[in-house]
Coordinates of all heavy atoms in Angstrom, one line a residue:
M1 N 158.6 -101.4 155.2 CA 158.7 -102.5 154.0 C 160.1 -102.9 154.1 O 161.1 -102.5 154.3 CB 158.4 -101.6 152.7 CG 158.3 -102.5 151.6 SD 157.9 -102.1 149.9 CE 157.8 -100.3 149.9
R2 N 160.0 -104.3 153.7 CA 161.1 -105.2 153.7 C 161.9 -105.0 152.3 O 162.6 -106.0 152.0 CB 160.7 -106.5 153.9 CG 160.4 -106.8 155.5 CD 160.2 -108.4 155.6 NE 160.2 -108.7 157.0 CZ 159.2 -109.1 157.6 NH1 158.0 -109.2 157.1 NH2 159.3 -109.4 159.0
L3 N 161.7 -104.2 151.5 CA 162.3 -104.0 150.2 C 163.8 -104.2 150.2 O 164.4 -105.0 149.5 CB 161.8 -102.8 149.4 CG 162.3 -102.6 148.1 CD1 162.0 -103.8 147.2 CD2 161.8 -101.4 147.5
K4 N 164.4 -103.4 151.0 CA 165.9 -103.5 150.9 C 166.4 -104.7 151.4 O 167.3 -105.3 150.9 CB 166.4 -102.3 151.9 CG 167.9 -102.1 151.8 CD 168.2 -100.9 152.7 CE 169.9 -100.5 152.5 NZ 170.1 -99.4 153.1
E5 N 165.7 -105.3 152.4 CA 166.2 -106.7 153.0 C 166.0 -107.8 151.9 O 167.0 -108.5 151.7 CB 165.3 -107.0 154.1 CG 165.4 -108.3 154.7 CD 164.4 -108.6 155.8 OE1 164.1 -107.8 156.5 OE2 164.1 -109.8 155.8
L6 N 165.0 -107.6 151.1 CA 164.7 -108.7 150.1 C 165.6 -108.5 149.0 O 166.3 -109.4 148.4 CB 163.3 -108.5 149.6 CG 162.1 -109.0 150.5 CD1 160.8 -108.7 150.1 CD2 162.3 -110.6 150.6
R7 N 165.9 -107.3 148.6 CA 166.8 -107.0 147.5 C 168.2 -107.4 147.8 O 168.9 -108.1 146.9 CB 166.8 -105.4 147.2 CG 167.7 -105.1 146.0 CD 167.5 -103.5 145.7 NE 167.9 -102.7 146.9 CZ 169.2 -102.6 147.2 NH1 170.2 -103.1 146.6 NH2 169.5 -101.7 148.2
K8 N 168.7 -107.2 149.0 CA 170.0 -107.6 149.4 C 170.1 -109.1 149.5 O 171.2 -109.7 149.3 CB 170.4 -106.9 150.7 CG 170.6 -105.4 150.5 CD 171.3 -104.8 151.7 CE 171.8 -103.4 151.1 NZ 172.9 -102.9 151.9
Q9 N 169.1 -109.8 150.0 CA 169.1 -111.1 150.0 C 169.4 -111.8 148.7 O 170.0 -112.8 148.4 CB 167.8 -111.8 150.6 CG 167.7 -111.5 152.1 CD 166.4 -112.0 152.6 OE1 165.5 -112.5 151.9 NE2 166.2 -112.0 153.9
K10 N 168.7 -111.3 147.6 CA 168.8 -111.7 146.3 C 170.1 -111.1 145.5 O 170.3 -111.4 144.4 CB 167.6 -111.3 145.5 CG 166.4 -112.0 146.1 CD 166.3 -113.5 145.8 CE 164.9 -114.0 146.2 NZ 164.9 -115.5 146.1
N11 N 170.9 -110.3 146.3 CA 172.1 -109.6 145.7 C 171.7 -108.8 144.3 O 172.3 -109.0 143.4 CB 173.2 -110.7 145.4 CG 174.5 -110.1 145.3 OD1 174.8 -108.9 145.7 ND2 175.4 -110.7 144.6
I12 N 170.6 -108.1 144.4 CA 170.1 -107.3 143.3 C 170.3 -105.8 143.6 O 170.1 -105.3 144.7 CB 168.6 -107.5 143.1 CG1 168.3 -109.0 142.7 CG2 168.1 -106.6 142.1 CD1 166.9 -109.4 142.7
T13 N 170.8 -105.0 142.7 CA 171.2 -103.6 142.8 C 169.7 -102.8 142.8 O 168.7 -103.4 142.2 CB 172.0 -103.1 142.0 OG1 171.5 -103.2 140.5 CG2 173.4 -103.9 142.0
Q14 N 169.7 -101.7 143.3 CA 168.4 -100.9 143.1 C 168.3 -100.6 141.6 O 167.1 -100.7 141.1 CB 168.7 -99.5 143.7 CG 168.5 -99.6 145.2 CD 168.7 -98.2 145.9 OE1 169.1 -97.2 145.2 NE2 168.4 -98.2 147.2
L15 N 169.2 -100.5 140.8 CA 169.0 -100.2 139.4 C 168.5 -101.4 138.7 O 167.6 -101.3 137.9 CB 170.6 -99.9 138.8 CG 170.4 -99.5 137.2 CD1 169.4 -98.3 136.9 CD2 171.9 -99.1 136.8
K16 N 169.0 -102.6 139.1 CA 168.5 -103.8 138.4 C 167.1 -104.0 138.7 O 166.2 -104.3 137.8 CB 169.3 -105.1 138.7 CG 168.7 -106.3 138.2 CD 169.5 -107.6 138.0 CE 168.9 -108.8 137.6 NZ 167.7 -108.7 136.7
L17 N 166.6 -103.8 140.0 CA 165.3 -104.0 140.4 C 164.4 -103.0 139.8 O 163.4 -103.3 139.2 CB 165.2 -103.8 142.0 CG 163.7 -103.9 142.5 CD1 163.2 -105.3 142.2 CD2 163.9 -103.6 144.0
A18 N 164.9 -101.7 139.7 CA 164.2 -100.7 139.0 C 164.0 -101.0 137.5 O 162.7 -100.9 137.0 CB 164.8 -99.4 139.1
M19 N 164.9 -101.5 136.8 CA 164.8 -101.9 135.4 C 163.8 -103.0 135.3 O 163.0 -103.1 134.3 CB 166.1 -102.2 134.8 CG 167.1 -100.9 134.7 SD 168.7 -101.4 134.2 CE 168.4 -102.0 132.5
D20 N 163.9 -104.1 136.1 CA 163.1 -105.2 136.1 C 161.6 -104.9 136.2 O 160.8 -105.6 135.7 CB 163.5 -106.3 137.0 CG 164.9 -107.0 136.7 OD1 165.3 -106.8 135.6 OD2 165.4 -107.7 137.5
L21 N 161.4 -103.9 137.2 CA 160.0 -103.5 137.5 C 159.5 -102.3 136.7 O 158.4 -101.9 136.9 CB 159.9 -103.2 139.0 CG 160.2 -104.3 139.9 CD1 160.1 -103.9 141.3 CD2 159.2 -105.6 139.8
N22 N 160.4 -101.8 135.7 CA 160.0 -100.6 135.0 C 159.7 -99.4 135.8 O 158.7 -98.7 135.6 CB 158.9 -100.9 134.0 CG 158.8 -100.0 132.8 OD1 159.8 -99.4 132.4 ND2 157.5 -99.8 132.2
M23 N 160.6 -99.2 136.7 CA 160.6 -98.0 137.6 C 161.9 -97.3 137.6 O 162.8 -97.8 137.0 CB 160.4 -98.5 139.0 CG 159.0 -99.2 139.4 SD 158.9 -99.7 141.2 CE 157.3 -100.4 141.2
N24 N 161.9 -96.2 138.2 CA 163.2 -95.4 138.4 C 163.9 -95.8 139.4 O 163.3 -96.1 140.7 CB 162.7 -93.9 138.5 CG 163.9 -93.0 138.4 OD1 164.7 -93.0 139.2 ND2 163.8 -92.1 137.4
Q25 N 165.2 -95.8 139.5 CA 166.0 -96.2 140.6 C 165.9 -95.4 141.7 O 165.9 -95.8 142.9 CB 167.5 -96.2 140.1 CG 168.5 -96.7 141.2 CD 169.0 -95.5 142.1 OE1 169.2 -94.4 141.5 NE2 169.4 -96.0 143.3
N26 N 165.6 -94.1 141.6 CA 165.4 -93.2 142.6 C 164.2 -93.5 143.4 O 164.0 -93.2 144.5 CB 165.3 -91.7 142.0 CG 165.3 -90.6 143.1 OD1 166.1 -90.7 144.0 ND2 164.6 -89.5 142.9
T27 N 163.2 -94.0 142.7 CA 161.9 -94.3 143.3 C 162.2 -95.6 144.3 O 161.6 -95.6 145.4 CB 160.9 -94.8 142.3 OG1 160.6 -93.6 141.5 CG2 159.6 -95.2 142.9
I28 N 162.9 -96.5 143.8 CA 163.3 -97.7 144.6 C 164.1 -97.2 146.0 O 163.7 -97.6 147.0 CB 164.1 -98.7 143.9 CG1 163.5 -99.3 142.6 CG2 164.7 -99.8 144.7 CD1 162.2 -100.0 143.0
S29 N 165.0 -96.3 145.7 CA 165.7 -95.7 146.7 C 164.8 -95.1 147.9 O 165.0 -95.3 149.1 CB 166.7 -94.7 146.3 OG 167.4 -94.1 147.4
R30 N 163.9 -94.3 147.3 CA 163.0 -93.6 148.2 C 162.1 -94.6 149.0 O 161.7 -94.3 150.2 CB 162.1 -92.6 147.5 CG 162.9 -91.4 147.0 CD 162.1 -90.3 146.3 NE 163.0 -89.2 146.1 CZ 162.5 -88.1 145.5 NH1 161.2 -88.0 145.1 NH2 163.4 -87.1 145.2
Y31 N 161.6 -95.7 148.3 CA 160.7 -96.7 149.0 C 161.7 -97.3 150.1 O 161.1 -97.4 151.3 CB 160.4 -97.9 148.1 CG 159.4 -97.5 147.0 CD1 159.2 -98.3 145.9 CD2 158.5 -96.4 147.1 CE1 158.4 -98.1 145.0 CE2 157.7 -96.0 146.0 CZ 157.5 -97.0 144.9 OH 156.6 -96.7 144.1
E32 N 162.9 -97.7 149.8 CA 163.7 -98.2 150.9 C 164.1 -97.3 152.0 O 164.2 -97.7 153.2 CB 165.0 -98.7 150.2 CG 165.0 -99.8 149.3 CD 166.3 -100.4 148.7 OE1 167.4 -99.8 149.0 OE2 166.2 -101.4 148.1
N33 N 164.2 -96.0 151.8 CA 164.5 -95.1 152.9 C 163.3 -94.5 153.5 O 163.4 -93.7 154.5 CB 165.4 -93.9 152.3 CG 166.7 -94.3 151.8 OD1 167.4 -95.2 152.5 ND2 167.2 -93.9 150.7
G34 N 162.1 -94.9 153.1 CA 160.9 -94.5 153.7 C 160.5 -93.1 153.4 O 159.6 -92.4 154.0
E35 N 161.1 -92.5 152.4 CA 160.8 -91.2 151.9 C 159.5 -91.1 150.9 O 158.9 -90.1 150.6 CB 161.9 -90.6 151.0 CG 163.2 -90.5 151.9 CD 164.4 -90.2 151.1 OE1 164.3 -89.7 149.8 OE2 165.5 -90.2 151.7
R36 N 159.1 -92.3 150.6 CA 157.9 -92.4 149.6 C 157.2 -93.8 149.9 O 158.0 -94.8 150.1 CB 158.4 -92.3 148.2 CG 157.3 -92.3 147.2 CD 157.8 -92.2 145.8 NE 156.7 -92.1 144.9 CZ 156.7 -92.0 143.5 NH1 158.0 -91.9 143.1 NH2 155.7 -92.2 142.7
E37 N 155.9 -93.8 149.8 CA 155.2 -95.1 149.9 C 154.7 -95.7 148.6 O 154.3 -94.8 147.7 CB 154.1 -94.9 150.9 CG 154.4 -94.6 152.3 CD 153.2 -94.5 153.3 OE1 152.0 -94.8 152.7 OE2 153.4 -94.3 154.4
A38 N 154.9 -96.8 148.4 CA 154.4 -97.4 147.2 C 152.9 -97.6 147.1 O 152.3 -97.7 148.1 CB 155.1 -98.9 147.1
G39 N 152.4 -97.3 145.9 CA 151.0 -97.6 145.7 C 150.6 -99.2 145.7 O 151.6 -100.0 145.6
Y40 N 149.4 -99.4 145.6 CA 149.0 -100.8 145.6 C 149.5 -101.6 144.5 O 150.1 -102.8 144.6 CB 147.6 -101.2 146.0 CG 146.7 -100.8 144.7 CD1 146.4 -101.7 143.8 CD2 146.2 -99.6 144.6 CE1 145.5 -101.6 142.8 CE2 145.3 -99.3 143.5 CZ 144.9 -100.3 142.7 OH 144.2 -100.0 141.5
R41 N 149.5 -101.0 143.3 CA 150.1 -101.7 142.1 C 151.6 -102.0 142.3 O 152.1 -103.1 141.8 CB 149.8 -100.9 140.8 CG 148.3 -100.8 140.5 CD 148.1 -100.1 139.2 NE 146.7 -100.1 138.9 CZ 146.0 -99.2 138.5 NH1 146.6 -97.8 138.2 NH2 144.6 -99.2 138.2
E42 N 152.3 -101.0 142.8 CA 153.8 -101.2 142.9 C 154.0 -102.3 143.9 O 155.0 -103.0 143.8 CB 154.4 -99.8 143.3 CG 154.5 -98.8 142.1 CD 153.1 -98.1 141.9 OE1 152.3 -98.1 142.9 OE2 152.9 -97.5 140.9
L43 N 153.3 -102.2 145.0 CA 153.5 -103.2 146.1 C 153.2 -104.8 145.5 O 153.9 -105.5 145.9 CB 152.5 -103.0 147.2 CG 152.6 -101.8 148.1 CD1 151.6 -101.4 149.1 CD2 154.2 -101.9 148.8
I44 N 152.2 -104.8 144.7 CA 151.9 -106.1 144.1 C 153.1 -106.4 143.2 O 153.5 -107.6 143.2 CB 150.5 -106.1 143.4 CG1 149.4 -106.0 144.4 CG2 150.4 -107.3 142.5 CD1 148.1 -105.7 143.8
L45 N 153.5 -105.7 142.4 CA 154.7 -105.9 141.6 C 155.9 -106.3 142.3 O 156.6 -107.3 141.9 CB 155.1 -104.7 140.8 CG 154.3 -104.3 139.5 CD1 154.8 -102.9 138.9 CD2 154.4 -105.4 138.5
I46 N 156.1 -105.6 143.5 CA 157.3 -106.0 144.3 C 157.2 -107.4 144.9 O 158.0 -108.2 144.9 CB 157.6 -104.9 145.3 CG1 158.0 -103.6 144.6 CG2 158.6 -105.3 146.3 CD1 158.0 -102.3 145.3
A47 N 156.0 -107.5 145.5 CA 155.7 -108.9 146.2 C 155.8 -110.0 145.2 O 156.5 -111.1 145.5 CB 154.3 -108.9 146.8
D48 N 155.2 -109.8 143.9 CA 155.3 -110.9 143.0 C 156.8 -111.1 142.5 O 157.2 -112.2 142.2 CB 154.5 -110.5 141.7 CG 153.0 -110.7 142.0 OD1 152.5 -111.2 143.0 OD2 152.2 -110.2 141.0
Y49 N 157.6 -110.1 142.3 CA 158.9 -110.1 141.9 C 159.7 -111.0 142.9 O 160.5 -111.8 142.4 CB 159.5 -108.7 141.8 CG 161.0 -108.7 141.3 CD1 161.2 -108.7 139.9 CD2 162.1 -108.7 142.2 CE1 162.5 -108.6 139.4 CE2 163.3 -108.7 141.7 CZ 163.5 -108.7 140.4 OH 164.8 -108.5 139.9
F50 N 159.5 -110.8 144.2 CA 160.2 -111.5 145.2 C 159.5 -112.8 145.6 O 160.0 -113.5 146.6 CB 160.6 -110.6 146.3 CG 161.6 -109.6 146.0 CD1 161.3 -108.1 145.9 CD2 163.0 -109.9 146.0 CE1 162.2 -107.3 145.6 CE2 163.9 -109.0 145.6 CZ 163.5 -107.6 145.5
H51 N 158.4 -113.0 145.2 CA 157.7 -114.2 145.5 C 157.3 -114.3 147.1 O 157.5 -115.3 147.7 CB 158.3 -115.5 145.0 CG 158.5 -115.6 143.5 ND1 157.6 -115.7 142.6 CD2 159.8 -115.4 142.9 CE1 158.1 -115.7 141.4 NE2 159.5 -115.5 141.6
V52 N 156.8 -113.2 147.5 CA 156.5 -113.1 148.9 C 155.2 -112.6 149.0 O 154.6 -111.9 148.1 CB 157.4 -112.3 149.7 CG1 158.8 -112.7 149.8 CG2 157.5 -110.8 149.2
S53 N 154.5 -112.7 150.1 CA 153.2 -112.2 150.3 C 153.2 -110.6 150.6 O 154.2 -110.1 151.1 CB 152.4 -112.9 151.5 OG 153.1 -112.4 152.7
L54 N 152.1 -110.0 150.4 CA 152.1 -108.5 150.6 C 152.2 -108.3 152.2 O 152.9 -107.3 152.6 CB 150.7 -107.9 150.2 CG 150.6 -107.7 148.7 CD1 149.2 -107.3 148.3 CD2 151.6 -106.6 148.2
D55 N 151.6 -109.2 153.0 CA 151.8 -109.0 154.5 C 153.2 -109.1 154.8 O 153.8 -108.3 155.7 CB 151.0 -110.0 155.2 CG 149.5 -109.7 155.3 OD1 149.1 -108.6 154.9 OD2 148.8 -110.6 155.6
Y56 N 154.1 -110.0 154.2 CA 155.4 -110.1 154.5 C 156.2 -108.9 154.1 O 157.0 -108.4 154.8 CB 156.1 -111.3 154.0 CG 157.5 -111.6 154.2 CD1 157.8 -112.1 155.4 CD2 158.4 -111.2 153.3 CE1 159.2 -112.3 155.8 CE2 159.7 -111.4 153.7 CZ 160.2 -111.9 154.9 OH 161.5 -112.1 155.2
L57 N 155.9 -108.5 152.9 CA 156.6 -107.3 152.3 C 156.3 -106.0 153.3 O 157.1 -105.3 153.5 CB 156.1 -107.0 150.9 CG 156.6 -105.7 150.2 CD1 158.2 -105.9 150.0 CD2 155.9 -105.5 148.9
L58 N 155.1 -105.9 153.7 CA 154.7 -104.8 154.5 C 154.9 -105.0 156.1 O 154.5 -104.1 156.9 CB 153.3 -104.3 154.3 CG 153.0 -104.0 152.9 CD1 151.5 -103.8 152.7 CD2 153.7 -102.7 152.5
E59 N 155.6 -106.1 156.3 CA 156.1 -106.4 157.7 C 154.9 -106.7 158.7 O 154.9 -106.4 159.9 CB 157.1 -105.3 158.4 CG 158.2 -105.1 157.6 CD 159.2 -104.0 158.0 OE1 159.4 -104.0 159.3 OE2 159.8 -103.2 157.3
R60 N 153.7 -107.1 158.0 CA 152.7 -107.6 159.0 C 152.6 -109.0 159.4 O 151.8 -109.4 160.1 CB 151.4 -107.3 158.1 CG 151.1 -105.8 157.9 CD 149.8 -105.6 157.0 NE 148.7 -106.5 157.4 CZ 147.6 -106.2 157.7 NH1 147.2 -105.0 157.6 NH2 146.6 -107.0 158.1
S61 N 153.6 -109.7 158.7 CA 153.8 -111.1 159.1 C 155.3 -111.5 158.8 O 156.0 -110.8 158.0 CB 152.9 -112.0 158.0 OG 153.2 -113.4 158.1
D62 N 155.7 -112.4 159.6 CA 157.1 -112.9 159.4 C 157.1 -114.2 158.4 O 158.2 -114.8 158.2 CB 157.6 -113.3 160.7 CG 158.0 -112.1 161.5 OD1 158.3 -110.9 161.0 OD2 157.9 -112.2 162.8
D63 N 156.0 -114.5 157.9 CA 155.8 -115.6 157.0 C 155.8 -115.2 155.6 O 154.9 -114.6 155.1 CB 154.5 -116.4 157.3 CG 154.4 -117.6 156.3 OD1 155.2 -118.0 155.5 OD2 153.3 -118.2 156.4
P64 N 156.9 -115.4 154.7 CA 156.9 -114.9 153.5 C 156.1 -115.6 152.5 O 156.1 -115.2 151.4 CB 158.4 -114.9 153.1 CG 158.8 -116.1 153.9 CD 158.0 -116.1 155.2
T65 N 155.4 -116.7 152.8 CA 154.7 -117.6 151.9 C 153.7 -116.8 151.1 O 153.0 -116.0 151.8 CB 154.1 -118.7 152.7 OG1 155.0 -119.4 153.6 CG2 153.4 -119.7 151.7
F66 N 153.8 -117.1 150.0 CA 152.8 -116.4 149.0 C 151.7 -117.5 148.7 O 151.9 -118.6 148.3 CB 153.4 -116.1 147.6 CG 152.6 -115.5 146.6 CD1 152.2 -114.3 146.7 CD2 152.1 -116.3 145.6 CE1 151.1 -113.7 145.8 CE2 151.2 -115.8 144.6 CZ 150.7 -114.6 144.7
Y67 N 150.5 -117.0 149.1 CA 149.3 -118.0 148.9 C 148.5 -117.5 147.7 O 148.2 -116.4 147.5 CB 148.4 -117.7 150.2 CG 149.0 -118.3 151.5 CD1 149.6 -117.3 152.4 CD2 149.2 -119.7 151.7 CE1 150.2 -117.9 153.5 CE2 149.8 -120.1 152.9 CZ 150.2 -119.2 153.7 OH 150.9 -119.6 154.9
S68 N 148.4 -118.5 146.8 CA 147.5 -118.3 145.6 C 146.5 -119.3 145.5 O 146.8 -120.5 145.5 CB 148.4 -118.2 144.5 OG 147.8 -118.1 143.3
E69 N 145.3 -118.9 145.3 CA 144.3 -119.8 145.0 C 144.1 -120.2 143.6 O 144.0 -119.3 142.7 CB 142.9 -119.3 145.5 CG 142.7 -119.1 146.9 CD 141.2 -118.7 147.3 OE1 140.5 -119.2 146.6 OE2 141.1 -118.1 148.4
Q70 N 144.2 -121.4 143.3 CA 144.3 -121.8 141.8 C 143.2 -122.9 141.8 O 143.1 -123.8 142.5 CB 145.6 -122.3 141.4 CG 146.6 -121.3 141.5 CD 147.9 -121.7 140.7 OE1 147.9 -122.6 140.0 NE2 148.8 -120.9 140.8
T71 N 142.3 -122.8 140.6 CA 141.3 -123.7 140.5 C 141.6 -124.8 139.4 O 142.6 -124.5 138.7 CB 140.0 -123.1 140.1 OG1 140.2 -122.2 139.0 CG2 139.4 -122.5 141.2

């Protein structure tokens, strides 16, 4: 997951990200270190927070573009 990369690009600490997402800082650390995998709800929260696609967050694409269908 590109979480650490995205967080550092925005100059955000693990603690700030955790507080903004209503998570524990230790959880963010474990996601970044590969010690724990985020569930789909957490993945969506993180992708929305950084305005990137889930595929980009999960390193399935190099295109960070977030696509949203709006009517």
Side-chain angles (χ1 to χ4, degrees):
M1 181 173 11
R2 287 187 162 112
L3 178 57
K4 187 174 187 175
E5 173 187 327
L6 289 166
R7 182 178 61 74
K8 288 192 171 212
Q9 284 175 0
K10 300 286 185 184
N11 200 27
I12 298 170
T13 65
Q14 286 181 348
L15 182 58
K16 172 155 177 39
L17 179 60
M19 290 174 64
D20 288 349
L21 296 178
N22 197 28
M23 293 182 183
N24 187 300
Q25 183 269 328
N26 194 36
T27 300
I28 299 296
S29 176
R30 287 182 176 182
Y31 291 161
E32 289 185 357
N33 293 320
E35 297 171 11
R36 182 174 179 183
E37 290 187 5
Y40 74 90
R41 289 183 178 140
E42 291 79 17
L43 291 171
I44 291 169
L45 280 173
I46 294 167
D48 286 351
Y49 183 87
F50 289 106
H51 303 288
V52 298
S53 69
L54 286 171
D55 281 344
Y56 182 79
L57 179 64
L58 296 173
E59 300 180 42
R60 292 177 41 128
S61 169
D62 289 330
D63 180 5
T65 307
F66 176 76
Y67 296 101
S68 175
E69 289 188 32
Q70 298 195 10
T71 52

